[in-house]
Structures are given as structure tokens and as C-alpha cells.
Amino acid sequence: MLASLTARWEARVRSAGAEHLVVAGTATEDHRFALHRSVRSAVPRMSESEEKLAAALRPSGRVAWANLHRDIYNVDRFRPGAAG
């Protein structure tokens, strides 16, 4: 979740431009470096719908192991001509 928020923040700062967000004589000036770092970190990313699709196609480790176990179990159990 934090990675998602960070990505959104970086994208917003990049689209607005760090210098447009810094106002002289305010607290934003103290954070100029962090704003510029956010701009540099905001590498082009996938759209939100593309991110969701990638997450759906790339299961977590637990899900991947469960799928592998299911597939192996089913091959051994339902092999044509196998006893049991």
C-alpha cells in the first residue's frame, strides 16, 4: 500500500514540477531536495489498470505454490490408468 501511495506522490510531483511546488520563504523551500528526488524517482510506470492486470497475472508466492501443488497433485491422482 505504501508503495502505491509513493508512486502516486511521485507521479503528482513529476506532473506538477518540483519548482512549481516550491514557494520561496515557506516550508516547501526546506523540502526542495525531497521534491526533486520524487521527480527523479517517478520513472514512467504503468497506468493503474495495467498495474491491476499485472498484479492479477503475477500471483504471490503463496498462491503460486498452491497452484503448483494443485497441478502436481491432480496429475498424479488423475493420470489415465493410474491406480487409486
Short mmCIF file of all heavy atoms in Angstrom, two decimals, residues 10-73:
data_model
loop_
_atom_site.label_atom_id
_atom_site.label_comp_id
_atom_site.label_asym_id
_atom_site.label_seq_id
_atom_site.Cartn_x
_atom_site.Cartn_y
_atom_site.Cartn_z
N GLU A 10 4.92 10.50 -6.30
CA GLU A 10 5.97 10.82 -7.26
C GLU A 10 5.39 11.25 -8.60
O GLU A 10 5.89 12.19 -9.22
CB GLU A 10 6.89 9.61 -7.44
CG GLU A 10 7.73 9.33 -6.21
CD GLU A 10 8.48 8.02 -6.29
OE1 GLU A 10 8.18 7.19 -7.19
OE2 GLU A 10 9.34 7.78 -5.43
N ALA A 11 4.33 10.59 -9.03
CA ALA A 11 3.70 10.95 -10.30
C ALA A 11 3.10 12.36 -10.23
O ALA A 11 3.22 13.14 -11.18
CB ALA A 11 2.63 9.93 -10.67
N ARG A 12 2.48 12.68 -9.11
CA ARG A 12 1.89 14.02 -8.96
C ARG A 12 2.96 15.10 -8.96
O ARG A 12 2.81 16.13 -9.61
CB ARG A 12 1.09 14.11 -7.66
CG ARG A 12 -0.07 13.19 -7.60
CD ARG A 12 -1.32 13.91 -7.87
NE ARG A 12 -2.42 12.97 -7.78
CZ ARG A 12 -3.63 13.26 -8.06
NH1 ARG A 12 -3.92 14.46 -8.47
NH2 ARG A 12 -4.57 12.37 -7.98
N VAL A 13 4.02 14.86 -8.20
CA VAL A 13 5.11 15.84 -8.13
C VAL A 13 5.75 16.00 -9.50
O VAL A 13 6.05 17.11 -9.93
CB VAL A 13 6.15 15.45 -7.06
CG1 VAL A 13 7.36 16.35 -7.12
CG2 VAL A 13 5.53 15.49 -5.68
N ARG A 14 5.93 14.89 -10.20
CA ARG A 14 6.54 14.95 -11.53
C ARG A 14 5.66 15.74 -12.50
O ARG A 14 6.13 16.55 -13.28
CB ARG A 14 6.78 13.56 -12.08
CG ARG A 14 7.48 13.57 -13.40
CD ARG A 14 7.76 12.17 -13.87
NE ARG A 14 8.62 12.23 -15.05
CZ ARG A 14 8.85 11.23 -15.83
NH1 ARG A 14 8.32 10.06 -15.57
NH2 ARG A 14 9.64 11.36 -16.87
N SER A 15 4.34 15.49 -12.45
CA SER A 15 3.45 16.19 -13.38
C SER A 15 3.35 17.68 -13.06
O SER A 15 3.25 18.50 -13.97
CB SER A 15 2.07 15.55 -13.39
OG SER A 15 1.42 15.74 -12.15
N ALA A 16 3.40 18.04 -11.79
CA ALA A 16 3.31 19.45 -11.41
C ALA A 16 4.65 20.16 -11.59
O ALA A 16 4.69 21.36 -11.85
CB ALA A 16 2.85 19.57 -9.96
N GLY A 17 5.73 19.40 -11.40
CA GLY A 17 7.06 20.00 -11.45
C GLY A 17 7.47 20.48 -10.07
O GLY A 17 6.73 21.20 -9.41
N ALA A 18 8.63 20.06 -9.64
CA ALA A 18 9.08 20.38 -8.29
C ALA A 18 9.19 21.88 -8.06
O ALA A 18 8.81 22.39 -7.01
CB ALA A 18 10.42 19.69 -8.01
N GLU A 19 9.70 22.60 -9.04
CA GLU A 19 9.88 24.05 -8.85
C GLU A 19 8.56 24.79 -8.73
O GLU A 19 8.50 25.82 -8.05
CB GLU A 19 10.72 24.63 -9.99
CG GLU A 19 12.18 24.25 -9.92
CD GLU A 19 12.83 24.62 -8.59
OE1 GLU A 19 12.60 25.74 -8.08
OE2 GLU A 19 13.57 23.78 -8.07
N HIS A 20 7.51 24.27 -9.33
CA HIS A 20 6.20 24.91 -9.20
C HIS A 20 5.61 24.70 -7.81
O HIS A 20 4.76 25.47 -7.37
CB HIS A 20 5.23 24.38 -10.26
CG HIS A 20 5.53 24.88 -11.62
ND1 HIS A 20 6.30 24.17 -12.51
CD2 HIS A 20 5.18 26.03 -12.26
CE1 HIS A 20 6.41 24.85 -13.63
NE2 HIS A 20 5.76 25.98 -13.51
N LEU A 21 6.06 23.65 -7.14
CA LEU A 21 5.56 23.36 -5.80
C LEU A 21 6.33 24.10 -4.71
O LEU A 21 5.84 24.25 -3.60
CB LEU A 21 5.61 21.86 -5.54
CG LEU A 21 4.73 21.01 -6.46
CD1 LEU A 21 5.00 19.53 -6.22
CD2 LEU A 21 3.27 21.32 -6.25
N VAL A 22 7.53 24.55 -5.02
CA VAL A 22 8.36 25.24 -4.04
C VAL A 22 8.02 26.73 -4.06
O VAL A 22 8.08 27.38 -5.10
CB VAL A 22 9.87 25.03 -4.33
CG1 VAL A 22 10.72 25.85 -3.39
CG2 VAL A 22 10.21 23.56 -4.25
N VAL A 23 7.65 27.23 -2.89
CA VAL A 23 7.34 28.65 -2.74
C VAL A 23 8.40 29.25 -1.83
O VAL A 23 8.59 28.79 -0.70
CB VAL A 23 5.93 28.85 -2.15
CG1 VAL A 23 5.63 30.32 -1.95
CG2 VAL A 23 4.90 28.18 -3.02
N ALA A 24 9.08 30.28 -2.33
CA ALA A 24 10.17 30.91 -1.56
C ALA A 24 9.64 31.43 -0.23
O ALA A 24 8.55 32.00 -0.15
CB ALA A 24 10.79 32.04 -2.36
N GLY A 25 10.43 31.21 0.81
CA GLY A 25 10.08 31.71 2.13
C GLY A 25 9.08 30.86 2.87
O GLY A 25 8.59 31.26 3.94
N THR A 26 8.74 29.67 2.37
CA THR A 26 7.81 28.79 3.07
C THR A 26 8.49 27.47 3.38
O THR A 26 9.64 27.23 2.99
CB THR A 26 6.56 28.51 2.20
OG1 THR A 26 6.95 27.77 1.05
CG2 THR A 26 5.86 29.79 1.78
N ALA A 27 7.77 26.62 4.07
CA ALA A 27 8.33 25.31 4.44
C ALA A 27 8.63 24.46 3.21
O ALA A 27 9.48 23.57 3.27
CB ALA A 27 7.36 24.57 5.36
N THR A 28 7.96 24.72 2.10
CA THR A 28 8.23 23.92 0.91
C THR A 28 9.66 24.11 0.43
O THR A 28 10.24 23.19 -0.14
CB THR A 28 7.26 24.29 -0.23
OG1 THR A 28 7.37 25.67 -0.53
CG2 THR A 28 5.84 23.94 0.13
N GLU A 29 10.23 25.28 0.69
CA GLU A 29 11.61 25.52 0.27
C GLU A 29 12.58 24.59 1.02
O GLU A 29 13.59 24.16 0.47
CB GLU A 29 11.98 26.98 0.51
CG GLU A 29 13.24 27.40 -0.17
CD GLU A 29 13.43 28.91 -0.12
OE1 GLU A 29 13.00 29.55 0.84
OE2 GLU A 29 14.02 29.41 -1.08
N ASP A 30 12.23 24.26 2.27
CA ASP A 30 13.07 23.34 3.04
C ASP A 30 13.03 21.92 2.49
O ASP A 30 13.90 21.11 2.80
CB ASP A 30 12.61 23.31 4.51
CG ASP A 30 12.79 24.66 5.20
OD1 ASP A 30 13.63 25.46 4.73
OD2 ASP A 30 12.08 24.90 6.18
N HIS A 31 12.02 21.63 1.70
CA HIS A 31 11.86 20.28 1.17
C HIS A 31 12.13 20.20 -0.33
O HIS A 31 11.71 19.25 -1.00
CB HIS A 31 10.44 19.78 1.48
CG HIS A 31 10.15 19.75 2.94
ND1 HIS A 31 10.66 18.78 3.77
CD2 HIS A 31 9.44 20.60 3.72
CE1 HIS A 31 10.26 19.02 5.00
NE2 HIS A 31 9.52 20.12 5.01
N ARG A 32 12.85 21.15 -0.83
CA ARG A 32 13.16 21.20 -2.26
C ARG A 32 13.87 19.92 -2.72
O ARG A 32 13.53 19.35 -3.74
CB ARG A 32 14.03 22.42 -2.56
CG ARG A 32 14.41 22.58 -4.03
CD ARG A 32 15.37 23.72 -4.25
NE ARG A 32 14.91 24.97 -3.68
CZ ARG A 32 14.26 25.93 -4.36
NH1 ARG A 32 14.03 25.76 -5.64
NH2 ARG A 32 13.89 27.04 -3.78
N PHE A 33 14.85 19.47 -1.93
CA PHE A 33 15.59 18.26 -2.31
C PHE A 33 14.66 17.06 -2.42
O PHE A 33 14.73 16.29 -3.37
CB PHE A 33 16.71 17.97 -1.30
CG PHE A 33 17.38 16.64 -1.54
CD1 PHE A 33 18.31 16.50 -2.55
CD2 PHE A 33 17.06 15.54 -0.77
CE1 PHE A 33 18.92 15.28 -2.79
CE2 PHE A 33 17.66 14.31 -1.01
CZ PHE A 33 18.59 14.19 -2.02
N ALA A 34 13.77 16.88 -1.43
CA ALA A 34 12.85 15.74 -1.44
C ALA A 34 11.91 15.81 -2.64
O ALA A 34 11.59 14.78 -3.25
CB ALA A 34 12.04 15.69 -0.15
N LEU A 35 11.48 16.99 -2.99
CA LEU A 35 10.60 17.14 -4.16
C LEU A 35 11.34 16.78 -5.44
O LEU A 35 10.81 16.07 -6.30
CB LEU A 35 10.04 18.56 -4.23
CG LEU A 35 9.03 18.92 -3.14
CD1 LEU A 35 8.75 20.41 -3.14
CD2 LEU A 35 7.75 18.13 -3.32
N HIS A 36 12.57 17.25 -5.56
CA HIS A 36 13.36 16.91 -6.75
C HIS A 36 13.68 15.42 -6.81
O HIS A 36 13.68 14.82 -7.88
CB HIS A 36 14.65 17.74 -6.81
CG HIS A 36 14.43 19.14 -7.27
ND1 HIS A 36 14.19 19.45 -8.58
CD2 HIS A 36 14.36 20.30 -6.58
CE1 HIS A 36 14.01 20.75 -8.70
NE2 HIS A 36 14.11 21.29 -7.50
N ARG A 37 13.92 14.82 -5.65
CA ARG A 37 14.17 13.37 -5.61
C ARG A 37 12.92 12.61 -6.06
O ARG A 37 13.01 11.62 -6.77
CB ARG A 37 14.58 12.94 -4.20
CG ARG A 37 14.97 11.47 -4.13
CD ARG A 37 15.40 11.06 -2.76
NE ARG A 37 14.31 11.35 -1.84
CZ ARG A 37 14.44 11.44 -0.53
NH1 ARG A 37 15.61 11.28 0.02
NH2 ARG A 37 13.41 11.69 0.24
N SER A 38 11.75 13.10 -5.67
CA SER A 38 10.50 12.46 -6.10
C SER A 38 10.34 12.54 -7.61
O SER A 38 9.87 11.59 -8.25
CB SER A 38 9.29 13.12 -5.42
OG SER A 38 9.28 12.84 -4.05
N VAL A 39 10.73 13.66 -8.19
CA VAL A 39 10.65 13.80 -9.65
C VAL A 39 11.57 12.80 -10.33
O VAL A 39 11.19 12.13 -11.29
CB VAL A 39 10.99 15.25 -10.09
CG1 VAL A 39 11.17 15.34 -11.59
CG2 VAL A 39 9.91 16.21 -9.61
N ARG A 40 12.80 12.65 -9.81
CA ARG A 40 13.75 11.70 -10.39
C ARG A 40 13.29 10.25 -10.21
O ARG A 40 13.54 9.39 -11.04
CB ARG A 40 15.13 11.87 -9.78
CG ARG A 40 15.84 13.11 -10.25
CD ARG A 40 17.30 13.12 -9.81
NE ARG A 40 17.50 12.87 -8.40
CZ ARG A 40 17.50 13.80 -7.45
NH1 ARG A 40 17.30 15.07 -7.77
NH2 ARG A 40 17.71 13.49 -6.19
N SER A 41 12.62 9.98 -9.09
CA SER A 41 12.16 8.61 -8.80
C SER A 41 10.93 8.22 -9.60
O SER A 41 10.62 7.05 -9.71
CB SER A 41 11.85 8.47 -7.31
OG SER A 41 13.01 8.65 -6.55
N ALA A 42 10.23 9.20 -10.11
CA ALA A 42 8.97 8.93 -10.81
C ALA A 42 9.25 8.46 -12.23
O ALA A 42 8.98 9.14 -13.20
CB ALA A 42 8.09 10.17 -10.82
N VAL A 43 9.81 7.28 -12.32
CA VAL A 43 10.06 6.71 -13.64
C VAL A 43 8.72 6.41 -14.29
O VAL A 43 7.73 6.19 -13.60
CB VAL A 43 10.90 5.41 -13.53
CG1 VAL A 43 12.27 5.72 -13.01
CG2 VAL A 43 10.22 4.39 -12.67
N PRO A 44 8.67 6.41 -15.59
CA PRO A 44 7.40 6.08 -16.24
C PRO A 44 6.89 4.72 -15.76
O PRO A 44 7.63 3.75 -15.73
CB PRO A 44 7.75 6.04 -17.72
CG PRO A 44 8.97 6.90 -17.85
CD PRO A 44 9.71 6.73 -16.56
N ARG A 45 5.66 4.71 -15.33
CA ARG A 45 5.06 3.50 -14.80
C ARG A 45 3.84 3.12 -15.62
O ARG A 45 3.38 3.89 -16.44
CB ARG A 45 4.64 3.71 -13.35
CG ARG A 45 5.79 4.12 -12.46
CD ARG A 45 5.29 4.47 -11.07
NE ARG A 45 6.30 5.14 -10.30
CZ ARG A 45 7.08 4.57 -9.42
NH1 ARG A 45 6.98 3.29 -9.21
NH2 ARG A 45 7.98 5.25 -8.76
N MET A 46 3.33 1.96 -15.33
CA MET A 46 2.11 1.52 -16.00
C MET A 46 0.93 2.31 -15.44
O MET A 46 0.97 2.81 -14.31
CB MET A 46 1.89 0.03 -15.75
CG MET A 46 2.93 -0.86 -16.37
SD MET A 46 2.57 -2.62 -16.13
CE MET A 46 3.18 -2.85 -14.47
N SER A 47 -0.14 2.37 -16.23
CA SER A 47 -1.35 3.01 -15.74
C SER A 47 -1.94 2.15 -14.62
O SER A 47 -1.54 1.00 -14.41
CB SER A 47 -2.36 3.15 -16.87
OG SER A 47 -2.86 1.87 -17.24
N GLU A 48 -2.90 2.69 -13.89
CA GLU A 48 -3.48 1.96 -12.77
C GLU A 48 -4.15 0.67 -13.24
O GLU A 48 -4.03 -0.37 -12.60
CB GLU A 48 -4.49 2.83 -12.03
CG GLU A 48 -4.95 2.23 -10.74
CD GLU A 48 -5.74 3.19 -9.89
OE1 GLU A 48 -5.61 4.41 -10.06
OE2 GLU A 48 -6.49 2.70 -9.03
N SER A 49 -4.84 0.72 -14.38
CA SER A 49 -5.48 -0.50 -14.88
C SER A 49 -4.44 -1.54 -15.30
O SER A 49 -4.63 -2.74 -15.09
CB SER A 49 -6.41 -0.17 -16.05
OG SER A 49 -5.70 0.40 -17.11
N GLU A 50 -3.32 -1.09 -15.87
CA GLU A 50 -2.24 -2.01 -16.23
C GLU A 50 -1.60 -2.62 -14.99
O GLU A 50 -1.25 -3.80 -14.98
CB GLU A 50 -1.19 -1.30 -17.07
CG GLU A 50 -1.67 -0.91 -18.45
CD GLU A 50 -0.71 0.00 -19.17
OE1 GLU A 50 -0.01 0.81 -18.51
OE2 GLU A 50 -0.66 -0.07 -20.41
N GLU A 51 -1.45 -1.83 -13.93
CA GLU A 51 -0.90 -2.34 -12.67
C GLU A 51 -1.80 -3.43 -12.09
O GLU A 51 -1.33 -4.45 -11.62
CB GLU A 51 -0.74 -1.21 -11.64
CG GLU A 51 0.35 -0.22 -11.97
CD GLU A 51 1.73 -0.71 -11.60
OE1 GLU A 51 1.87 -1.80 -11.02
OE2 GLU A 51 2.69 0.00 -11.91
N LYS A 52 -3.12 -3.20 -12.13
CA LYS A 52 -4.06 -4.19 -11.60
C LYS A 52 -4.00 -5.48 -12.41
O LYS A 52 -4.03 -6.58 -11.84
CB LYS A 52 -5.48 -3.63 -11.61
CG LYS A 52 -5.72 -2.60 -10.54
CD LYS A 52 -7.13 -2.06 -10.60
CE LYS A 52 -7.34 -0.98 -9.55
NZ LYS A 52 -8.69 -0.41 -9.63
N LEU A 53 -3.90 -5.36 -13.72
CA LEU A 53 -3.81 -6.54 -14.57
C LEU A 53 -2.52 -7.31 -14.27
O LEU A 53 -2.53 -8.53 -14.15
CB LEU A 53 -3.87 -6.15 -16.04
CG LEU A 53 -3.71 -7.29 -17.04
CD1 LEU A 53 -4.83 -8.31 -16.87
CD2 LEU A 53 -3.70 -6.74 -18.46
N ALA A 54 -1.42 -6.60 -14.14
CA ALA A 54 -0.14 -7.25 -13.85
C ALA A 54 -0.20 -7.97 -12.50
O ALA A 54 0.32 -9.08 -12.35
CB ALA A 54 0.99 -6.23 -13.86
N ALA A 55 -0.84 -7.34 -11.52
CA ALA A 55 -0.96 -7.97 -10.20
C ALA A 55 -1.81 -9.24 -10.28
O ALA A 55 -1.52 -10.24 -9.62
CB ALA A 55 -1.56 -6.99 -9.22
N ALA A 56 -2.85 -9.21 -11.11
CA ALA A 56 -3.70 -10.38 -11.25
C ALA A 56 -2.97 -11.52 -11.97
O ALA A 56 -3.19 -12.69 -11.66
CB ALA A 56 -4.97 -10.02 -12.01
N LEU A 57 -2.11 -11.19 -12.89
CA LEU A 57 -1.39 -12.21 -13.65
C LEU A 57 -0.14 -12.70 -12.93
O LEU A 57 0.42 -13.73 -13.29
CB LEU A 57 -1.00 -11.66 -15.03
CG LEU A 57 -2.18 -11.33 -15.94
CD1 LEU A 57 -1.67 -10.69 -17.22
CD2 LEU A 57 -3.00 -12.57 -16.25
N ARG A 58 0.32 -11.97 -11.94
CA ARG A 58 1.54 -12.33 -11.20
C ARG A 58 1.14 -12.67 -9.77
O ARG A 58 1.18 -11.82 -8.90
CB ARG A 58 2.52 -11.17 -11.24
CG ARG A 58 3.84 -11.45 -10.58
CD ARG A 58 4.74 -10.22 -10.59
NE ARG A 58 4.06 -9.07 -10.06
CZ ARG A 58 4.07 -7.86 -10.63
NH1 ARG A 58 4.73 -7.66 -11.73
NH2 ARG A 58 3.42 -6.85 -10.10
N PRO A 59 0.76 -13.91 -9.53
CA PRO A 59 0.30 -14.27 -8.19
C PRO A 59 1.44 -14.21 -7.16
O PRO A 59 2.60 -14.30 -7.51
CB PRO A 59 -0.20 -15.70 -8.34
CG PRO A 59 0.52 -16.23 -9.52
CD PRO A 59 0.77 -15.05 -10.43
N SER A 60 1.04 -14.05 -5.92
CA SER A 60 2.03 -14.00 -4.84
C SER A 60 2.68 -15.37 -4.69
O SER A 60 2.21 -16.37 -5.25
CB SER A 60 1.35 -13.61 -3.53
OG SER A 60 0.49 -14.66 -3.11
N GLY A 61 3.73 -15.44 -3.92
CA GLY A 61 4.44 -16.70 -3.72
C GLY A 61 3.54 -17.79 -3.16
O GLY A 61 3.58 -18.93 -3.60
N ARG A 62 2.70 -17.43 -2.20
CA ARG A 62 1.81 -18.41 -1.57
C ARG A 62 0.83 -18.98 -2.60
O ARG A 62 0.63 -20.18 -2.69
CB ARG A 62 1.05 -17.76 -0.43
CG ARG A 62 0.13 -18.72 0.31
CD ARG A 62 -0.64 -18.01 1.41
NE ARG A 62 -1.44 -16.90 0.91
CZ ARG A 62 -2.67 -17.04 0.35
NH1 ARG A 62 -3.19 -18.23 0.20
NH2 ARG A 62 -3.33 -15.99 -0.05
N VAL A 63 0.25 -18.11 -3.39
CA VAL A 63 -0.70 -18.55 -4.41
C VAL A 63 0.00 -19.39 -5.47
O VAL A 63 -0.53 -20.41 -5.92
CB VAL A 63 -1.42 -17.33 -5.03
CG1 VAL A 63 -2.29 -17.76 -6.20
CG2 VAL A 63 -2.25 -16.61 -3.99
N ALA A 64 1.18 -18.98 -5.87
CA ALA A 64 1.93 -19.74 -6.88
C ALA A 64 2.24 -21.14 -6.38
O ALA A 64 2.09 -22.12 -7.13
CB ALA A 64 3.21 -18.99 -7.26
N TRP A 65 2.67 -21.28 -5.12
CA TRP A 65 2.97 -22.60 -4.57
C TRP A 65 1.70 -23.44 -4.47
O TRP A 65 1.72 -24.65 -4.73
CB TRP A 65 3.63 -22.49 -3.19
CG TRP A 65 5.09 -22.22 -3.29
CD1 TRP A 65 5.73 -21.08 -2.95
CD2 TRP A 65 6.10 -23.12 -3.76
NE1 TRP A 65 7.07 -21.19 -3.20
CE2 TRP A 65 7.33 -22.44 -3.68
CE3 TRP A 65 6.09 -24.42 -4.24
CZ2 TRP A 65 8.53 -23.03 -4.07
CZ3 TRP A 65 7.29 -25.00 -4.62
CH2 TRP A 65 8.49 -24.30 -4.53
N ALA A 66 0.59 -22.82 -4.09
CA ALA A 66 -0.68 -23.55 -4.01
C ALA A 66 -1.10 -24.06 -5.38
O ALA A 66 -1.56 -25.20 -5.51
CB ALA A 66 -1.76 -22.66 -3.41
N ASN A 67 -0.93 -23.23 -6.40
CA ASN A 67 -1.27 -23.66 -7.77
C ASN A 67 -0.37 -24.80 -8.22
O ASN A 67 -0.84 -25.75 -8.85
CB ASN A 67 -1.15 -22.49 -8.74
CG ASN A 67 -2.24 -21.46 -8.54
OD1 ASN A 67 -3.28 -21.75 -7.93
ND2 ASN A 67 -2.01 -20.26 -9.03
N LEU A 68 0.92 -24.71 -7.92
CA LEU A 68 1.85 -25.77 -8.30
C LEU A 68 1.47 -27.08 -7.60
O LEU A 68 1.42 -28.14 -8.24
CB LEU A 68 3.28 -25.37 -7.94
CG LEU A 68 4.35 -26.41 -8.23
CD1 LEU A 68 4.44 -26.68 -9.73
CD2 LEU A 68 5.69 -25.94 -7.70
N HIS A 69 1.18 -27.01 -6.31
CA HIS A 69 0.78 -28.20 -5.56
C HIS A 69 -0.48 -28.80 -6.16
O HIS A 69 -0.57 -30.02 -6.36
CB HIS A 69 0.56 -27.84 -4.09
CG HIS A 69 0.09 -29.01 -3.28
ND1 HIS A 69 -1.25 -29.29 -3.09
CD2 HIS A 69 0.78 -29.98 -2.64
CE1 HIS A 69 -1.37 -30.37 -2.36
NE2 HIS A 69 -0.15 -30.81 -2.06
N ARG A 70 -1.47 -27.97 -6.46
CA ARG A 70 -2.72 -28.45 -7.04
C ARG A 70 -2.45 -29.15 -8.37
O ARG A 70 -2.96 -30.24 -8.63
CB ARG A 70 -3.68 -27.29 -7.25
CG ARG A 70 -5.05 -27.71 -7.81
CD ARG A 70 -5.80 -26.56 -8.42
NE ARG A 70 -5.04 -26.05 -9.57
CZ ARG A 70 -4.83 -24.77 -9.82
NH1 ARG A 70 -5.32 -23.84 -9.04
NH2 ARG A 70 -4.13 -24.39 -10.88
N ASP A 71 -1.62 -28.54 -9.21
CA ASP A 71 -1.35 -29.11 -10.52
C ASP A 71 -0.63 -30.46 -10.41
O ASP A 71 -0.97 -31.42 -11.10
CB ASP A 71 -0.52 -28.15 -11.37
CG ASP A 71 -1.30 -26.89 -11.75
OD1 ASP A 71 -2.55 -26.89 -11.59
OD2 ASP A 71 -0.66 -25.93 -12.19
N ILE A 72 0.37 -30.53 -9.54
CA ILE A 72 1.11 -31.78 -9.37
C ILE A 72 0.22 -32.85 -8.76
O ILE A 72 0.22 -34.00 -9.20
CB ILE A 72 2.38 -31.55 -8.51
CG1 ILE A 72 3.37 -30.72 -9.31
CG2 ILE A 72 2.99 -32.88 -8.07
CD1 ILE A 72 4.57 -30.28 -8.53
N TYR A 73 -0.57 -32.48 -7.77
CA TYR A 73 -1.47 -33.44 -7.12
C TYR A 73 -2.47 -33.99 -8.13
O TYR A 73 -2.72 -35.19 -8.17
CB TYR A 73 -2.20 -32.75 -5.97
CG TYR A 73 -3.22 -33.64 -5.29
CD1 TYR A 73 -2.83 -34.63 -4.41
CD2 TYR A 73 -4.57 -33.48 -5.55
CE1 TYR A 73 -3.76 -35.45 -3.79
CE2 TYR A 73 -5.52 -34.27 -4.94
CZ TYR A 73 -5.10 -35.26 -4.06
OH TYR A 73 -6.02 -36.06 -3.46
#
